[in-house]
Amino acid sequence: MPTITSSSGRIESAHDILRQTQRRPLDFIFHPQSIAVIGATEAPGSVGRMLLENLKNGAFTGQIFPVNPKRPSVLGLQAYPNISAVPQKPDLAVIITPPATVPGIIRDCGAMGICGAIIISAGFKEIGESGAELERQIMAGARQTGMRIVGPNCLGVMAPHSQLNATFAAGMARPGSVGFISQSGALCTAVLDWSLHENVGFSAFVSLGSMLDVGWGDLIYHLGDDPQTKSIVIYMETIGDARAFLSAAREVALTKPIIVIKPGRTAAAARAAASHTGSLTGSDEVLQAAFQRVGVLRVDTISELFDMAEVLGKQPRPKGPRLTIVTNAGGPSVIATDALITSGAQLANLTPETMEALNKILPSTWSHNNPVDIIGDAKAGLYANAVEIAASDPNTDGLLVILTPQAMTEPTETAEKLIPCAHLDGKPLIASWMGADIVEKGEDILNAAGIPTFKYPDRAARAFYYMWRYSDNLRSLYETPALPSGSEHGQIDREKTDQILTTVRNAGRTILTEFESKELLSSYGIPTVETHIARSEMEAIKLSARLGFPVVLKLFSETITHKTDVGGVHLNLRTASAVRRAWRAIEASVTKNAGAEHFLGVTVQPMVKLEGYELIVGSSIDSQFGPVLLFGSGGQLVEVFKDRALGLPPLNATLARRMMEQTKIYTALKGVRGRKAANLAVLEQLLVRFSQLVAEQPWISEMDINPLFVSSERIFALDARVVLHDPKKSVEQLPRTAIRPYPLQYVTRSKLKNKTVVTIRPIRPEDEPLMVKFHETLSEESVYHRYFSALKLSQRVAHERLTRICFNDYDREIALVAEAKAGDEDQKILGVGRLSKLHGVDEAEFAVLVSDTCHGFGLGTELLKQLVKIGAAEKLKRITGQILSENHAMQTICKKIGFQVNYNVDNHDYTADYIY
């Protein structure tokens, strides 16, 4: 049976591909065996001295090579005049020299074969063009040898578990499980000092600086693979490579929380961040939408940053936003309730059964509501019983226990009684033991048991809200979207789209007429109101009569997009004379306000009279994330109401619905005040199609449908506006989507030996049900060949696992499915091939698995050939896979296609390598 698995034969935690975990490109930076400190000095108070002292006086066990051309030794260590004079190749170079010297030093390090560098020095792009030119020279030298660089303008890197302190901070972080990354070196030193006082430990402590090379994506991948890291917390000023960040964050967020504080919500803060890093800052709304898309949790304060790292590391994520509060004091619970509700979570509505159970154990004076105030003299056992009852309520998604130290209170004993509740099934438990010395021992007991504690109840309530928001963000990563109805190829006419855009660009125009805009939408299956062009008054009258009165006349122009602003829209025209007057009024108004050359006629369309809603669907370009989608309330007052949600293309049905749910108009669309609900499923698919159009057509700069008319019966675009990029731009200069769109170029058709015609295409999130059926066709032998172990069907088709397989980040991995349809049977997946890029190198691992019903028909060969072609198109240098020794057929196929197949003596299996 022709199947392949990758190297290690284990199921990797972040996704299904079995990655070679020993190949981590940043290990030379985080786990070096030897370090050169270029710019080391004995000058008191200097950065070069402090950094060398941190390495020398710490527990770092590797070799240290100070580089200083003016001294034979530095701090008792032999020094060398330049990096070339160092007697052996260091793993890491730390550079603390004037900025003008750094490009040459990087070239020398590269020539020596050094794999990693940290540039502490400042004075690069943050000072202007001269600094930016130095950065270009640095990267040119680094690219020649593949060296990875952290910085410049950074504090450095700590890896506490490796006893590495390559920073000039006054102290060393404690070992722990939090990976901390910051663009601000000053914030790093403040957080470090705080962490030593609060006994917070780190798996990594990184100052990124201006991210010339190593960026968020690289570090998120590295920490995602690091077994010492349980959560990742980030102080971010600019996003850098948006696609790399989103790609890494989405993969890692499935297994480790990523918590971000990103200043710049205000224009003044954004300008300050830009001047600090020398980088552009995009829209804060867009950034928030991006975080939600990939499951990243954004918080507002530094304390919340570490609160959430602790809470998400100790307690399960809530399944909903409903919190139950158990307290011995009314005031603190009211404060907690305010914080909870204003944040966006809810109090749970306790069931009658829960109320009855509480009535049986609590004094008659208890609150008889949520918050459950069990009165100030509540003993430890009563606290625990009330918590157990509240936890069993089906309406409760999480619990907050508040204790104030009153005369009869038992803070220590109550904490001990709550230990059995520390790990409720799917319901987080957090606590607020208010006070100081009296409650300190109880706090220690709770924390040791895995129950996070907070000094103040409002902070605890807000922590629950963040837990819920994080859980809700991840929901979009786990939810299987619905398949679109109808045939995709029957609804999208990409040739027509290309023809429209090419015609406009060849004419030197950037603005599509309303008619062209609607034709463009129609080519992607988006319904539009019937529209005709009239270039004369008489033609307008004839078209109106043919359509039937009443009608609408709108300006037809190749230069004016906002027609209302120049008097270019006349509604509800019921007679030919009304049409004539409207024609003349539009012509006169446009001539007066813009010029006669802008009037080319009018468009004529029926006056639509249906009870429904006016929406807006649009797209524009963000400076960091590229094309961005907008959905919300439409019509002429769209800027006034500002009821909108933003998202990143491309969308699927689940993501489209999540966008809609964020708006106020969504409540009305579900049906209010006797109105029927709109067809939300059709609206979802329209948003999906619109996002496809945006993602697949990079020449589109701006586009909006306003209004998009929606009722229970119909959905169609009443007006549309499309603006293209300057035709003088090259394709390479066009903004790209932050999330790579579906790679249509890899869709092919093939005929198997048994004459079955199969479509080989990249996998989609909607394929999960078909993948379940596919796995049902596999024998134990096929499964063993693929996974190197006996993986049960229930494990293989688990929703959480298939989610990761079907939701491909096409920038990182591409899975191909071979599907076919025989007669009246449903579509079936017959085989799967996967190509997964390794982090930081131009290489990938591959895997192929074919249904037992298709053995011997050449499907495995076709899938592998396509993977090789994709590897070439993706500019890979090598792909590799592992084959069991008994899998002779696959070894033969690989050799036939051009792989080098070699026997591994240690593992008793074969490695197949394809070198491009």
Side-chain angles (χ1 to χ4, degrees):
M1 151 58 184
T3 56
I4 300 175
T5 188
S6 303
S7 55
S8 63
R10 68 180 182 84
I11 301 298
E12 202 275 334
S13 60
H15 59 88
D16 185 54
I17 291 304
L18 315 178
R19 191 188 307 141
Q20 291 182 338
T21 55
Q22 70 272 23
R23 305 185 64 172
R24 297 168 62 192
L26 300 187
D27 275 349
F28 291 106
I29 293 173
F30 285 91
H31 306 288
Q33 300 302 307
S34 54
I35 302 174
V37 182
I38 305 171
T41 178
E42 291 189 356
S46 67
V47 172
R49 180 185 180 116
M50 178 66 77
L51 196 144
L52 187 61
E53 283 181 340
N54 281 341
L55 287 171
K56 182 173 180 288
N57 299 335
F60 179 66
T61 57
Q63 290 184 286
I64 304 171
F65 303 105
V67 175
N68 186 320
K70 297 179 180 180
R71 300 183 63 91
S73 67
V74 180
L75 298 180
L77 296 173
Q78 180 180 348
Y80 302 88
N82 53 59
I83 188 63
S84 302
V86 174
Q88 69 181 63
K89 180 186 76 173
D91 289 333
L92 174 66
V94 183
I95 302 170
I96 323 153
T97 63
T101 66
V102 176
I105 291 171
I106 290 293
R107 286 193 295 271
D108 292 342
C109 289
M112 198 174 184
I114 297 173
C115 296
I118 302 172
I119 302 176
I120 305 293
S121 313
F124 293 92
K125 69 182 176 184
E126 69 271 14
I127 67 167
E129 179 54 33
S130 61
E133 174 56 30
L134 290 176
E135 290 193 354
R136 286 190 284 270
Q137 295 175 22
I138 290 170
M139 282 310 299
R143 287 193 184 102
Q144 290 179 353
T145 59
M147 181 191 305
R148 301 310 308 271
I149 297 172
V150 172
N153 191 13
C154 70
L155 179 73
V157 171
M158 293 185 197
H161 292 285
S162 301
Q163 293 82 46
L164 172 70
N165 184 1
T167 76
F168 58 93
M172 174 65 171
R174 300 180 191 276
S177 61
V178 176
F180 178 63
I181 317 169
S182 171
Q183 270 184 296
S184 167
L187 185 71
C188 282
T189 58
V191 167
L192 176 63
D193 187 54
W194 168 85
S195 71
L196 295 172
H197 181 265
E198 295 292 327
N199 200 29
V200 174
F202 298 91
S203 58
F205 198 89
V206 186
S207 167
L208 263 182
S210 53
M211 299 193 300
L212 175 59
D213 175 36
V214 172
W216 302 116
D218 299 296
L219 288 169
I220 289 170
Y221 274 134
H222 180 84
L223 296 176
D225 289 339
D226 177 26
Q228 305 284 0
T229 300
K230 305 303 180 189
S231 59
I232 301 169
V233 299
I234 292 172
Y235 170 80
M236 175 187 289
E237 290 181 352
T238 56
I239 192 75
D241 185 340
R243 184 176 278 191
F245 169 79
L246 295 177
S247 177
R250 189 196 178 281
E251 177 184 338
V252 174
L254 290 167
T255 53
K256 297 180 182 182
I258 301 174
I259 307 142
V260 175
I261 181 171
K262 167 67 170 69
R265 290 184 185 270
T266 64
R271 286 194 298 271
S275 63
H276 184 199
T277 62
S279 299
L280 291 174
T281 56
S283 160
D284 191 73
E285 281 186 275
V286 177
L287 184 77
Q288 186 64 35
F291 285 163
Q292 291 175 353
R293 176 70 176 260
V294 296
V296 167
L297 175 63
R298 184 182 188 180
V299 297
D300 293 328
T301 67
I302 296 172
S303 61
E304 290 171 345
L305 197 66
F306 291 96
D307 282 350
M308 296 317 300
E310 178 190 10
V311 170
L312 291 170
K314 288 181 176 179
Q315 288 290 314
R317 300 192 306 269
K319 295 181 173 65
R322 303 166 299 180
L323 179 69
T324 294
I325 300 173
V326 178
T327 179
N328 71 339
S333 66
V334 173
I335 292 171
T337 300
D338 273 348
L340 182 76
I341 303 302
T342 56
S343 295
Q346 307 167 16
L347 281 177
N349 290 318
L350 301 178
T351 64
E353 292 78 13
T354 299
M355 298 292 287
E356 184 179 348
L358 290 172
N359 281 331
K360 289 180 179 178
I361 67 164
L362 296 178
S364 59
T365 52
W366 80 280
S367 61
H368 295 86
N369 207 338
N370 181 18
V372 179
D373 185 350
I374 61 176
I375 309 306
D377 61 354
K379 299 296 183 181
L382 195 62
Y383 248 113
N385 291 337
V387 169
E388 289 176 2
I389 292 170
S392 64
D393 190 295
N395 292 341
T396 295
D397 298 312
L399 291 103
L400 166 59
V401 183
I402 301 173
L403 180 143
T404 61
Q406 301 175 36
M408 300 74 67
T409 309
E410 301 170 337
T412 303
E413 294 81 356
T414 301
E416 290 173 343
K417 289 286 187 181
L418 288 180
I419 291 176
C421 302
H423 301 289
L424 301 170
D425 185 22
K427 295 183 180 183
L429 174 65
I430 56 180
S432 177
W433 256 225
M434 300 180 68
D437 295 343
I438 297 175
V439 300
E440 184 176 359
K441 187 175 180 181
E443 284 184 309
D444 291 342
I445 292 169
L446 292 170
N447 285 318
I451 301 173
T453 63
F454 298 85
K455 287 292 184 186
Y456 306 108
D458 51 337
R459 188 167 158 183
R462 190 159 173 81
F464 174 79
Y465 158 71
Y466 277 129
M467 293 180 80
W468 156 242
R469 202 172 81 189
Y470 174 67
S471 182
D472 193 47
N473 286 351
L474 288 184
R475 183 164 61 97
S476 63
L477 304 186
Y478 281 105
E479 214 171 313
T480 304
L483 274 168
S485 58
S487 167
E488 176 185 348
H489 300 290
Q491 292 186 11
I492 297 182
D493 186 349
R494 293 182 175 87
E495 288 186 11
K496 182 179 179 180
T497 309
D498 292 340
Q499 181 182 2
I500 294 168
L501 297 179
T502 300
T503 299
V504 174
R505 290 178 55 239
N506 287 345
R509 291 191 283 130
T510 58
I511 298 175
L512 275 66
T513 66
E514 180 192 356
F515 182 81
E516 289 168 333
S517 298
K518 289 178 177 176
E519 287 288 289
L520 185 75
L521 294 174
S522 296
S523 70
Y524 267 72
I526 297 172
T528 62
V529 67
E530 184 179 355
T531 303
H532 300 275
I533 299 171
R535 297 183 183 273
S536 69
E537 182 180 309
M538 186 53 65
E539 188 178 5
I541 294 171
K542 289 180 179 179
L543 285 170
S544 300
R546 187 191 309 165
L547 287 173
F549 295 103
V551 297
V552 176
L553 260 60
K554 296 181 183 179
L555 168 66
F556 177 66
S557 173
E558 294 180 347
T559 53
I560 297 174
T561 59
H562 295 292
K563 297 177 284 294
T564 305
D565 294 347
V566 293
V569 179
H570 283 243
L571 306 175
N572 202 25
L573 305 174
R574 296 182 171 277
T575 64
S577 59
V579 170
R580 182 178 290 107
R581 288 194 299 271
W583 169 282
R584 294 174 182 176
I586 292 172
E587 182 178 23
S589 180
V590 172
T591 300
K592 177 182 177 182
N593 293 305
E597 69 276 12
H598 299 285
F599 179 80
L600 302 179
V602 299
T603 60
V604 185
Q605 45 198 279
M607 181 71 191
V608 177
K609 285 235 172 189
L610 290 173
E611 178 140 348
Y613 300 95
E614 291 185 340
L615 306 178
I616 181 172
V617 176
S619 73
S620 60
I621 303 298
D622 179 77
S623 60
Q624 291 189 326
F625 289 92
V628 177
L629 304 173
L630 178 145
F631 170 86
S633 301
Q636 293 184 353
L637 299 180
V638 62
E639 288 87 2
V640 176
F641 292 129
K642 293 184 178 179
D643 175 29
R644 66 190 186 191
L646 302 183
L648 298 180
L651 301 176
N652 56 42
T654 294
L655 295 170
R657 189 178 70 255
R658 295 294 299 273
M659 271 188 76
M660 292 159 54
E661 288 172 350
Q662 294 174 50
T663 62
K664 295 175 183 177
I665 193 67
Y666 180 71
T667 301
L669 294 174
K670 291 188 293 183
V672 291
R673 295 184 178 273
R675 286 192 179 188
K676 293 181 180 178
N679 192 330
L680 296 178
V682 173
L683 184 56
E684 284 174 11
Q685 291 306 322
L686 184 145
L687 285 173
V688 171
R689 286 305 173 89
F690 186 86
S691 78
Q692 282 182 276
L693 175 55
V694 172
E696 293 174 5
Q697 304 300 333
W699 282 105
I700 295 175
S701 173
E702 300 174 33
M703 176 167 56
D704 60 57
I705 305 172
N706 185 25
L708 174 70
F709 191 86
V710 176
S711 72
S712 60
E713 301 162 359
R714 299 176 66 188
I715 297 179
F716 53 84
L718 282 172
D719 203 353
R721 170 179 172 271
V722 179
V723 180
L724 305 184
H725 291 286
D726 188 337
K728 295 177 183 177
K729 282 189 174 183
S730 66
V731 174
E732 292 73 22
Q733 293 174 308
L734 299 177
R736 67 175 187 170
T737 55
I739 296 171
R740 185 173 175 178
Y742 187 80
L744 284 165
Q745 67 271 30
Y746 298 142
V747 178
T748 60
R749 291 171 69 84
S750 182
K751 183 179 287 188
L752 305 182
K753 293 177 183 178
N754 66 347
K755 309 301 182 185
T756 299
V757 176
V758 296
T759 298
I760 297 177
R761 59 166 177 81
I763 202 167
R764 300 175 303 206
E766 295 87 348
D767 288 323
E768 183 178 338
L770 294 179
M771 285 295 293
V772 171
K773 294 181 179 179
F774 166 71
H775 276 278
E776 292 171 352
T777 69
L778 302 177
S779 65
E780 292 182 3
E781 181 185 18
S782 296
V783 172
Y784 180 74
H785 282 174
R786 166 63 178 88
Y787 301 108
F788 280 29
S789 63
L791 203 61
K792 295 180 180 178
L793 176 63
S794 59
Q795 294 174 284
R796 301 198 312 272
V797 301
H799 172 64
E800 290 77 9
R801 180 178 177 275
L802 287 183
T803 292
R804 301 179 189 183
I805 291 172
C806 297
F807 277 77
N808 272 196
D809 170 4
Y810 301 114
D811 236 16
R812 183 181 58 81
E813 63 179 342
I814 294 177
L816 298 177
V817 294
E819 66 175 3
K821 181 177 172 66
D824 295 331
E825 294 182 3
D826 294 334
Q827 205 81 12
K828 292 182 179 179
I829 289 178
L830 305 178
V832 183
R834 184 177 295 266
L835 198 63
S836 184
K837 296 177 184 177
L838 299 173
H839 301 153
V841 291
D842 296 325
E843 300 180 12
E845 292 181 334
F846 65 93
V848 175
L849 181 59
V850 174
S851 167
D852 285 62
T853 61
C854 292
H855 291 181
F857 298 149
L859 180 55
T861 301
E862 284 301 313
L863 283 168
L864 189 53
K865 283 181 178 178
Q866 290 304 316
L867 292 179
V868 170
K869 289 179 181 178
I870 290 172
E874 298 290 314
K875 297 185 168 81
L876 297 178
K877 295 178 180 177
R878 174 177 177 261
I879 63 174
T880 185
Q882 210 84 355
I883 311 173
L884 286 172
S885 57
E886 58 264 38
N887 199 343
H888 304 294
M890 198 66 229
Q891 296 164 31
T892 301
I893 290 172
C894 286
K895 290 175 182 177
K896 181 173 64 177
I897 292 175
F899 283 79
Q900 299 173 11
V901 181
N902 298 303
Y903 184 67
N904 302 313
V905 177
D906 294 337
N907 296 332
H908 305 291
D909 57 16
Y910 287 85
T911 299
D913 291 309
Y914 192 96
I915 311 298
Y916 288 94

